Amino acid sequence: MVGKRKIRIGDLLVQNEEITEAQLQEALADQKKLGLKLGRILIDKGYIDEDRFLQFLSEQLHAPYYDLKDFSPDVDVVSRLPETYARRYRALLLEEKDGDLIVGMADPMDIFGYDELSRQLGQPISVAVVRESELMSMLDMAYRRTSEIVSFASELEGELASDQFNLGYEASGEDANSPVVRMLQSIMEDAVQMRASDVHIEPDETVLRIRQRVDGVLQEQIIKETRIAGALVSRLKLMAGLDISEKRLPQDGRFEIKVKSKDIDVRLSTMPVQHGESAVMRLADHSGAASSLEQVGMPEEMLRRFRFLITRPNGLILVTGPTGSGKTTTLYGALNELNSSEKKIITVEDPVEYQLERISQVQVNPKIGLDFARVLRATLRQDPDVLLLGEIRDRETAEIALRASMTGHLVLSTLHTNDAISSATRLLDVGVEGYLVASSVRGVIAQRLVRRVCEGCAEATPLDDQQFAWLDALVGERRAHELSFMKGRGCNRCNRTGYFGRIGVFELLELNEELANCLRQDDAVAFAEKSRRQPGFRPLVLNALDFAIDGDTSLAEVMALSGQVEDLDLDLDLDQDQDQDQDPSVAPDLLLAEDLSPESHPQH
């Protein structure tokens, strides 16, 4: 068992010739400025490899080293250490061996933390050396709220059964410890902890499903207590200011909550389904400031060209992609760059995503007639230099935006199309005259999000026959044989999915006179052909393939993004659920309808 002895790790590293005295002194000077641990500074400066540092610590402390990537802790053992202490001292109770409690600590030389953990656990402990990044990921996994949610669901079911649940009492906010409040709090905490973008509450005939969308893919938890669904949805409606008595019509609202010191904006959508009401919450973390263009993730050359477009005095710039593909992040990054005391900037949004200083932001409200077109007309009388229009949805809005861009205003907006080329022709489809589009549109940027391969478990993977055939059609047989790709095998950090986080994929189309002439002639076919031959234009799928070649994403993600196998002349039966034309973050993964004729789905 490791005792409480003071070890000057820096001196030991120098004595064992792991680092030099000069490197130690420089790191100690940085430690005084930054307040970081000495080991972290030495690793970040490249003076010692992290694996070697951890091995050295293990040897000096006579403490075992635990690789947490594939370690599966016993939930009953882990729960003996309260989460508050685990996070405060960055420690995890790993296992009990021969009556000894083994605790992994990010800083195994933290004597104060050692004493506190021993006191809390009521017995001496043995310290284990672990990698800090793996420990922090493991904490999120080990202290998930799934069992807590089940417990609250059972308690709430009991209250409903005994008729003790009073919705008016819940609405008053007097009982913050009631089961429905605590269950929703646990659901939200678990969602934030797992980096979920959406939470779905779906009543079924025999179970209640709570699903979280993490990195674009849903993860499910089953609750047996079906009766609690109505109480959960009613409570959410109260929080969002919706009509709790109306259960026959869809409703939309929003509210803000604080979860784990983060300000979370929640957009709530309810919809009547066969066994009650389904509720979907989209979560947006507003604790931090809006992103800059550098944080968007656009390639350097494309970023340079995009910056040139947004610094022009007038014209329309479109950002296109499905819901949840990061369009708003890109537009806010552009606004942050343009925001200055010399420019009047007005945004028309539904809803307002982030609060920006010095920018006039208008929230549309169709219920009182304050729609996009009406607000847009009013903004033109406010002497703006830059306008951001949340979305072009119809001919009227499109024509006002286009005319505004022709009269000295820079207009930024979004469209829901599959790629950059189809965006300009989409304006023709809604009835806008070709000469207006040709005179106004300066450029279109299309984007998607693909899942990033988990760094903790990434490994080279061979191509299967289907992947090779797809790649062969795209880049040729010789090039396909030369390429290699990465895939995550699944670890604790990524919740066994093989992916952790997402990365943006972009394509940029700049309109020149040749393309403008095609639009004036309403020739969509010629426009598409000439666009593909434009210098500097690279389609989304090739830009995504670059990320896969670099090991940032998998080939499966690139194939899912393309979603247009017929364009590659492939005779393959790819799974239809790989089609990413509709982003999974909000749009349904599969729509069923008895009649999909054009008459049953008129364009808006």
Side-chain angles (χ1 to χ4, degrees), residues 360-379:
S360 302
Q361 298 174 267
V362 183
Q363 164 84 51
V364 301
N365 187 353
K367 293 179 181 178
I368 60 172
L370 193 66
D371 55 19
F372 276 104
R374 184 169 184 177
V375 177
L376 193 52
R377 288 194 200 94
T379 59

Side-chain angles (χ1 to χ4, degrees), residues 4 37 77 79 99 102 112-113 130-131 153 171 213 230 259 261 276 289 293-294 309 355 410 419 464 557 560 568 585:
K4 301 182 291 180
K37 297 294 183 183
V77 173
S79 61
I102 312 297
F112 179 74
V130 295
R131 191 184 300 270
R213 194 176 291 279
V259 180
S261 302
L293 277 180
E294 283 80 5
L309 290 175
Q355 304 293 328
L410 177 66
D419 53 35
D464 59 33
E557 284 290 289
L568 302 174
S585 59

Side-chain angles (χ1 to χ4, degrees), residues 276-398:
E277 280 186 285
S278 167
V280 176
M281 293 175 282
R282 161 155 283 199
L283 313 181
D285 182 2
H286 288 179
S287 299
S291 300
S292 65
L293 277 180
E294 283 80 5
Q295 296 172 305
V296 168
M298 213 177 290
E300 188 175 340
E301 175 58 23
M302 189 181 296
L303 181 58
R304 183 190 63 79
R305 292 160 54 201
F306 183 62
R307 276 197 167 116
F308 172 75
L309 290 175
I310 64 174
T311 52
R312 299 179 70 173
N314 56 58
L316 174 63
I317 299 171
L318 294 171
V319 180
T320 183
T323 302
S325 59
K327 299 187 299 295
T328 302
T329 303
T330 300
L331 289 173
Y332 274 63
L335 287 186
N336 272 336
E337 193 134 319
L338 295 171
N339 193 1
S340 68
S341 58
E342 292 84 18
K343 286 187 173 70
K344 170 78 169 183
I345 301 177
I346 302 177
T347 73
V348 185
E349 305 172 72
D350 183 21
V352 173
E353 298 281 356
Y354 292 93
Q355 304 293 328
L356 299 175
E357 293 183 359
R358 203 189 289 114
I359 293 180
S360 302
Q361 298 174 267
V362 183
Q363 164 84 51
V364 301
N365 187 353
K367 293 179 181 178
I368 60 172
L370 193 66
D371 55 19
F372 276 104
R374 184 169 184 177
V375 177
L376 193 52
R377 288 194 200 94
T379 59
L380 295 178
R381 296 190 289 271
Q382 292 278 314
D383 187 30
D385 297 294
V386 181
L387 286 171
L388 186 148
L389 178 60
E391 183 185 350
I392 293 179
R393 300 181 176 180
D394 50 39
R395 176 177 178 177
E396 183 181 16
T397 307

Side-chain angles (χ1 to χ4, degrees), residues 79-97:
S79 61
R80 291 172 64 178
L81 179 63
E83 182 180 3
T84 305
Y85 286 87
R87 293 192 180 276
R88 181 183 301 167
Y89 299 110
R90 293 178 298 163
L92 182 70
L93 188 51
L94 299 174
E95 58 181 333
E96 186 171 12
K97 185 183 294 184

Side-chain angles (χ1 to χ4, degrees), residues 156 159-160 164-184 230-232 234-236 238-239 244:
L156 179 56
E159 286 203 2
L160 290 172
Q164 292 177 358
F165 180 74
N166 185 308
L167 202 54
Y169 187 64
E170 296 293 333
S172 68
E174 295 175 0
D175 189 4
N177 292 317
S178 64
V180 67
V181 174
R182 287 185 291 159
M183 183 173 179
L184 284 174
L232 291 175
S234 294
R235 176 68 191 187
L236 289 171
L238 287 169
M239 295 168 70
I244 62 172

